[in-house]
Amino acid sequence: MAKSWATLGVDLHLDPTGTGTGTGTGTGTGTGTGTGVRRGLTDALRDAVRTGRLAPGTRLPSSRSLATDLGIARNTVADAYADLVAEGWLTARQGSGTRVAERAVVPPTDTTPPRRLRSRPTYDLVPGTPDLAAFPRTEWLKAARRALTAAPYQALGYGDPRGRVELRTALAAYLSRARGVGADPEHILISAGISNGLRLIGTALRARGSRAIAVESYGLTAHWQILAEAGLRTRPLPFDQLGTNPAQLTDEPAVLLTPAHQFPMGVPLHHDRRSAVVDWARRTGGLVLEDDYDGEFRYDRQPIGALQGLDPNHVVYLGTASKSLAPGLRLAWMVLPPSLMEEIAKAKGGIDTCGVLDQLTLAEFITSGAYDRHVRAARLRYRRRRDTLVEALAQHAPDVHATGIAAGFHAVLSLPPGTEQSVVQAAAWQGLALHTLSFYRHEHAVAAPLDALVVGYGTPPDHAWAGAVEALCRVLP
Amino acid sequence: MAKSWATLGVDLHLDPTGTGTGTGTGTGTGTGTGTGVRRGLTDALRDAVRTGRLAPGTRLPSSRSLATDLGIARNTVADAYADLVAEGWLTARQGSGTRVAERAVVPPTDTTPPRRLRSRPTYDLVPGTPDLAAFPRTEWLKAARRALTAAPYQALGYGDPRGRVELRTALAAYLSRARGVGADPEHILISAGISNGLRLIGTALRARGSRAIAVESYGLTAHWQILAEAGLRTRPLPFDQLGTNPAQLTDEPAVLLTPAHQFPMGVPLHHDRRSAVVDWARRTGGLVLEDDYDGEFRYDRQPIGALQGLDPNHVVYLGTASKSLAPGLRLAWMVLPPSLMEEIAKAKGGIDTCGVLDQLTLAEFITSGAYDRHVRAARLRYRRRRDTLVEALAQHAPDVHATGIAAGFHAVLSLPPGTEQSVVQAAAWQGLALHTLSFYRHEHAVAAPLDALVVGYGTPPDHAWAGAVEALCRVLP
């Protein structure tokens, strides 16, 4: 290799196929012509500048000289130089040749702290995630094939901020049938999870001038956080054995509730209070946000229909595929009072932000009946797990009382007063991930603190459930 | 049918299979027992209350009496009543029997104005959407099957706010190879389109206290709108034949640019200006937002590498599948300076908001080589369309000059001064949807207005392109 080339100190990878690599194993130098060679030379030079092997200000050999060294066409070298001048790596000035640009190129500085190495717990009993091992992959792929084959190509473009009409139509029928929701496709909006839906509502309420929202004394910190980020202070309502008490609702513009199955306490909202909250909304023009996260999963009686049916003009119904299928789909839905649709669509940015392929697939999954079959099978599975848990508790931990187990896939285990911390520590030693009830308690909650665990029975796969229950019983008093 | 039942005036649909309908054709009354009957009765009563057929305050027949009428078990009626009391449709008070709740149930009021009936244009030449008819459905479904089959079930849970690691890894390799981007998977974040990415960056900048951002004189109103909604005033930089001039960048915390192919003007940013903008960022600690929306599509020479490679600490690279595959995927990516990752992940809400299935599929699509093949085929197709357009203009509209056509899939057609409005009107009559250049001009743009059209050649399918060009030539002066 002649001097002018060697001086560059460049690893040149020529790729005659034209796909280029820029890194990796070289395929020799000095062979081939055209695009592949030019690409290889450009990549090699860029890398050399980027990594500092070619220092700022370095004068490059003339294109004629380098071409001779490499046994390639002079134009190829000239083109590569021109590309790199255009990109800003090199400079070309009349009379001073081609040089490495004077800016010192620095590698990216990583200022993120190293992630803590957390070992995965042996059993994950944190509530909120369904049994992902039971995700109906084959059925889903079949639905995806049917949906994508049938979709008009225009469906793949920029979409309606409300989401695909196929999904909204399927949901309107399903929600009316399964949850007593009064919905038509025009008033449904698809969001990337309920949290994303709450963000949109929070943004819309803030844009209306609202500054606060009533919430429950127990719930998801993440939801309160989202509302706070939207500019709304969250004020918790009192909670007792009849559920959240709406009597203290005053001039808040909205209240966020989980009427069918209070999260995490598990009680359904008492019918007097269902009526009272709707009456409040109608009287004051307030808005009820009904988070129906796991309304499909009720074991001992008919599911309680949605509050929304009582007054579609004052209740926003929020449902999700995160519990019935998988959170990773990031598909949830809101049934909105018609007057609110425009504001929410605006908060969503005026375009759809959820992938259409999954929307079309879920629509097909619902209308084909696969969704009903899946929910039915999941309901049976969770019910079995719940029964295993309840039996094990009765046998091994008679002092622990499980509540909120008529629905959903988590239970609240009331502990003898003063034992919570020792149980949590024992659980950590046993490789059990679980949350205490206080984790879900609003900092301004109007309810006496209780020693209790919130135990999810969705996450461990079926085969691990017996082991999880055994481990849990070992740490209970 | 006996009196007490007939008085209710209820369409009762009993569904012995237990799936229930609540609406639709009835399957007879008085037959079957158990869940299906109870469900049918509950649905029918709820519908009757909802629609007002059972007026508020109406006293219902006793459960014994109704059961006799219907020939079903008394408990079934009692259970249905209990369900509806729990849901708030009915009230049950000691001594006054079961009544329809006093709240008047009102149907949802639709206040949204009826959508204007817009006929679809014969030819859509609005830029920004690729050829959706050429979306590689079969290859995509194959990739989806491989990806979903291979994914660990944990991948379907709540995810990393940055997006799936499989996709970030595939993108890091692809962007380095194809666009000269210095990226590692740790510093890539997936967003629901570039607009969603800009929203996240805007939110993060606003949270840092920024109040303004520099933009180009020509660009997408939607992007400026997003930044404005995040609380950032947009200030346009001057534009001339070398592209956007960064000389007037001062104390803005950031600038949004389309360096590889100015949108919509089509020129690449001159190399002196590429250097200048990076120098500015380095000197002031500013941030360059590099919107590389169609960087893969360049026809007459090698693609211009990304600006980001010059300084990964000061440039945010934004790329997207919206132009290379389809906007409906809602998948875009940002390569972030490491120092910015935490703020952006926070703005995203701390969880992933993009569907994992499409992310896993795109990762598989890229690593299998299908993405490269698709982009190559699309590049050939758009190049042919562009050549057809340029030839037709030369022949039929010699006064119209096409620029910005070395890359992408739109062209700027400069019109003789004073002819823009008449061309736009003629286009409307011909069923041609197209935009004028002024549509993309910032209201405070520092550039002389030009009479010009921005013509996209992505949207019409292949078979319609010749007709679209013909129709276009008919309306040009």
Side-chain angles (χ1 to χ4, degrees):
Chain A
M1 193 175 279
K3 180 172 161 287
S4 60
W5 170 244
T7 350
L8 290 181
V10 166
D11 298 323
L12 182 59
H13 308 301
L14 293 185
D15 177 358
T17 68
T19 55
T21 60
T23 59
T25 55
T27 54
T29 59
T31 60
T33 53
T35 322
V37 175
R38 170 174 157 183
R39 179 83 177 243
L41 180 60
T42 311
D43 287 349
L45 288 170
R46 191 194 293 110
D47 268 8
V49 176
R50 194 205 317 269
T51 56
R53 272 175 290 139
L54 282 177
T58 306
R59 182 170 179 157
L60 297 183
S62 72
S63 56
R64 180 192 304 273
S65 150
L66 184 55
T68 308
D69 289 354
L70 297 173
I72 61 181
R74 183 184 167 184
N75 273 354
T76 305
V77 178
D79 287 347
Y81 280 8
D83 286 347
L84 293 167
V85 168
E87 293 178 16
W89 297 102
L90 305 180
T91 57
R93 296 277 178 245
Q94 205 73 35
S96 85
T98 305
R99 290 173 184 277
V100 176
E102 275 298 342
R103 260 159 298 95
V105 174
V106 284
T109 321
D110 196 339
T111 60
T112 41
R115 304 189 157 240
R116 262 181 306 164
L117 285 172
R118 265 185 288 184
S119 57
R120 193 176 285 213
T122 313
Y123 298 112
D124 185 354
L125 299 181
V126 171
T129 302
D131 182 0
L132 302 174
F135 183 81
R137 299 188 189 208
T138 310
E139 285 296 319
W140 186 265
L141 283 167
K142 278 186 198 162
R145 177 172 299 277
R146 288 193 303 267
L148 186 50
T149 307
Y153 67 80
Q154 291 88 349
L156 302 170
Y158 291 97
D160 190 316
R162 294 174 297 181
R164 283 303 302 174
V165 67
E166 293 89 341
L167 179 55
R168 290 185 283 117
T169 305
L171 283 169
Y174 172 78
L175 293 174
S176 158
R177 168 167 65 78
R179 304 293 301 122
V181 170
D184 82 81
E186 293 293 303
H187 304 136
I188 295 181
L189 182 134
I190 309 300
S191 66
I194 283 185
S195 55
N196 175 241
L198 282 180
R199 192 178 295 275
L200 299 176
I201 296 173
T203 305
L205 288 175
R206 189 65 195 82
R208 281 183 176 187
S210 304
R211 298 207 161 263
I213 182 168
V215 298
E216 299 185 281
S217 279
Y218 294 96
L220 283 175
T221 314
H223 286 178
W224 302 328
Q225 178 70 29
I226 284 167
L227 295 166
E229 282 168 13
L232 302 174
R233 198 169 42 80
T234 57
R235 189 176 73 77
L237 297 171
F239 177 87
D240 58 33
Q241 69 278 15
L242 302 182
T244 294
N245 189 342
Q248 287 183 20
L249 274 172
T250 53
D251 56 349
E252 283 89 0
V255 57
L256 171 63
L257 296 173
T258 47
H261 188 226
Q262 206 285 330
F263 186 84
M265 297 303 274
V267 296
L269 189 61
H270 188 270
H271 53 80
D272 286 345
R273 293 186 173 175
R274 285 171 68 98
S275 306
V277 74
V278 170
D279 286 343
W280 162 82
R282 208 171 281 180
R283 198 171 60 243
T284 65
L287 205 60
V288 182
L289 312 182
E290 177 179 28
D291 177 356
D292 193 42
Y293 62 107
D294 68 356
E296 279 115 339
F297 296 102
R298 189 160 179 96
Y299 307 116
D300 302 322
R301 38 168 292 175
Q302 290 281 108
I304 295 176
L307 195 66
Q308 188 268 1
L310 292 177
D311 194 337
N313 286 322
H314 291 95
V315 181
V316 176
Y317 174 88
L318 298 119
T320 179
S322 292
K323 312 302 174 193
S324 55
L325 281 163
L329 290 177
R330 298 287 76 208
L331 286 179
W333 39 88
M334 294 194 271
V335 184
L336 292 164
S339 60
L340 203 60
M341 178 55 86
E342 203 168 320
E343 292 161 76
I344 300 290
K346 183 167 180 288
K348 202 176 169 184
I351 58 167
D352 199 358
T353 53
C354 301
V356 296
L357 301 186
D358 283 341
Q359 291 188 59
L360 294 171
T361 302
L362 180 55
E364 168 65 24
F365 200 75
I366 292 171
T367 51
S368 71
Y371 189 80
D372 280 329
R373 284 195 299 279
H374 174 70
V375 166
R376 215 147 42 218
R379 201 187 284 132
L380 280 174
R381 193 177 320 114
Y382 296 135
R383 186 183 177 139
R384 271 201 305 271
R385 292 186 188 190
R386 181 199 66 164
D387 293 346
T388 313
L389 174 66
V390 170
E391 283 158 28
L393 289 177
Q395 209 174 339
H396 303 293
D399 292 342
V400 174
H401 186 54
T403 55
I405 56 177
F409 39 95
H410 72 269
V412 175
L413 307 190
S414 309
L415 303 173
T419 60
E420 189 179 280
Q421 275 316 306
S422 62
V423 169
V424 167
Q425 271 175 0
W429 284 108
Q430 289 278 341
L432 274 173
L434 44 72
H435 280 170
T436 62
L437 180 59
S438 54
F439 183 83
Y440 299 99
R441 192 167 189 276
H442 195 286
E443 55 174 337
H444 305 301
V446 194
L450 293 167
D451 277 36
L453 303 177
V454 184
V455 167
Y457 37 95
T459 303
D462 262 348
H463 64 82
W465 182 239
V469 169
E470 242 178 67
L472 176 64
C473 286
R474 273 200 298 276
V475 307
L476 292 175
Chain B
M1 192 175 283
K3 181 173 160 287
S4 61
W5 169 244
T7 357
L8 290 181
V10 165
D11 299 321
L12 182 60
H13 308 299
L14 292 186
D15 176 1
T17 67
T19 56
T21 61
T23 60
T25 56
T27 55
T29 62
T31 61
T33 53
T35 321
V37 175
R38 167 173 161 185
R39 178 83 177 244
L41 181 60
T42 311
D43 287 350
L45 288 170
R46 191 194 292 112
D47 267 8
V49 177
R50 196 206 312 272
T51 56
R53 272 175 288 142
L54 283 177
T58 305
R59 183 171 178 156
L60 296 184
S62 72
S63 56
R64 179 191 307 271
S65 150
L66 185 55
T68 310
D69 289 353
L70 297 173
I72 60 180
R74 182 184 167 186
N75 273 354
T76 306
V77 178
D79 286 349
Y81 281 6
D83 287 348
L84 293 167
V85 168
E87 293 178 16
W89 298 100
L90 306 179
T91 57
R93 296 276 178 248
Q94 205 74 37
S96 86
T98 305
R99 291 176 181 275
V100 176
E102 275 298 343
R103 262 159 297 96
V105 174
V106 284
T109 321
D110 196 339
T111 61
T112 43
R115 306 193 153 236
R116 262 180 305 163
L117 286 172
R118 264 183 290 183
S119 58
R120 193 176 284 213
T122 313
Y123 298 112
D124 185 354
L125 299 181
V126 171
T129 303
D131 182 0
L132 301 173
F135 182 80
R137 299 188 188 207
T138 310
E139 285 295 320
W140 186 265
L141 283 167
K142 278 185 197 162
R145 177 170 301 275
R146 287 194 302 267
L148 186 49
T149 308
Y153 67 80
Q154 291 88 349
L156 301 171
Y158 291 97
D160 188 318
R162 294 174 297 181
R164 283 302 302 174
V165 66
E166 293 88 341
L167 178 55
R168 292 185 282 116
T169 305
L171 282 170
Y174 171 77
L175 293 175
S176 157
R177 169 166 66 77
R179 304 292 303 123
V181 170
D184 82 81
E186 292 294 302
H187 303 135
I188 294 181
L189 181 134
I190 308 300
S191 66
I194 283 185
S195 54
N196 176 241
L198 282 180
R199 193 178 294 275
L200 299 176
I201 296 173
T203 306
L205 288 175
R206 188 66 195 81
R208 281 184 177 186
S210 305
R211 296 208 162 262
I213 182 169
V215 297
E216 299 184 282
S217 279
Y218 294 98
L220 283 175
T221 314
H223 286 179
W224 302 328
Q225 179 70 27
I226 284 167
L227 295 167
E229 282 167 14
L232 302 175
R233 197 168 42 78
T234 56
R235 191 177 70 78
L237 297 171
F239 177 85
D240 57 34
Q241 69 277 14
L242 302 182
T244 294
N245 190 343
Q248 288 182 20
L249 274 172
T250 52
D251 55 350
E252 282 89 359
V255 58
L256 171 62
L257 297 173
T258 47
H261 187 226
Q262 206 286 328
F263 186 84
M265 296 302 275
V267 295
L269 188 60
H270 188 270
H271 53 80
D272 285 346
R273 292 184 173 174
R274 285 171 69 97
S275 306
V277 74
V278 170
D279 286 344
W280 162 82
R282 208 170 281 180
R283 198 172 59 243
T284 64
L287 206 60
V288 182
L289 312 182
E290 176 178 29
D291 176 355
D292 193 43
Y293 62 106
D294 68 356
E296 279 116 339
F297 296 102
R298 189 162 180 92
Y299 307 116
D300 302 324
R301 37 168 294 175
Q302 289 283 106
I304 294 175
L307 195 66
Q308 186 268 3
L310 293 177
D311 194 336
N313 285 322
H314 292 94
V315 181
V316 176
Y317 174 89
L318 297 120
T320 179
S322 292
K323 312 303 173 192
S324 56
L325 281 163
L329 290 176
R330 297 285 78 205
L331 285 178
W333 37 89
M334 296 193 271
V335 184
L336 292 164
S339 58
L340 204 59
M341 177 55 87
E342 204 167 320
E343 290 161 77
I344 301 290
K346 183 166 179 291
K348 202 176 168 184
I351 59 166
D352 198 358
T353 53
C354 302
V356 295
L357 300 187
D358 282 342
Q359 290 188 58
L360 293 171
T361 303
L362 181 56
E364 169 65 24
F365 200 76
I366 292 172
T367 50
S368 70
Y371 188 80
D372 280 328
R373 283 195 300 278
H374 175 71
V375 166
R376 216 149 39 221
R379 200 186 284 133
L380 279 174
R381 192 177 321 114
Y382 296 135
R383 185 183 177 140
R384 270 200 305 272
R385 294 186 186 190
R386 180 198 68 164
D387 293 346
T388 313
L389 174 66
V390 170
E391 282 159 26
L393 290 177
Q395 210 174 339
H396 304 291
D399 291 342
V400 174
H401 186 55
T403 55
I405 56 176
F409 39 94
H410 71 269
V412 175
L413 307 190
S414 310
L415 302 173
T419 61
E420 190 180 278
Q421 275 316 307
S422 62
V423 169
V424 167
Q425 271 174 0
W429 284 108
Q430 290 278 339
L432 274 172
L434 43 74
H435 280 169
T436 61
L437 180 58
S438 53
F439 183 84
Y440 300 99
R441 192 167 188 275
H442 196 286
E443 55 175 337
H444 305 301
V446 194
L450 293 168
D451 276 36
L453 303 177
V454 184
V455 168
Y457 37 95
T459 303
D462 261 349
H463 65 83
W465 182 238
V469 169
E470 241 179 68
L472 177 64
C473 285
R474 274 201 295 276
V475 307
L476 290 176

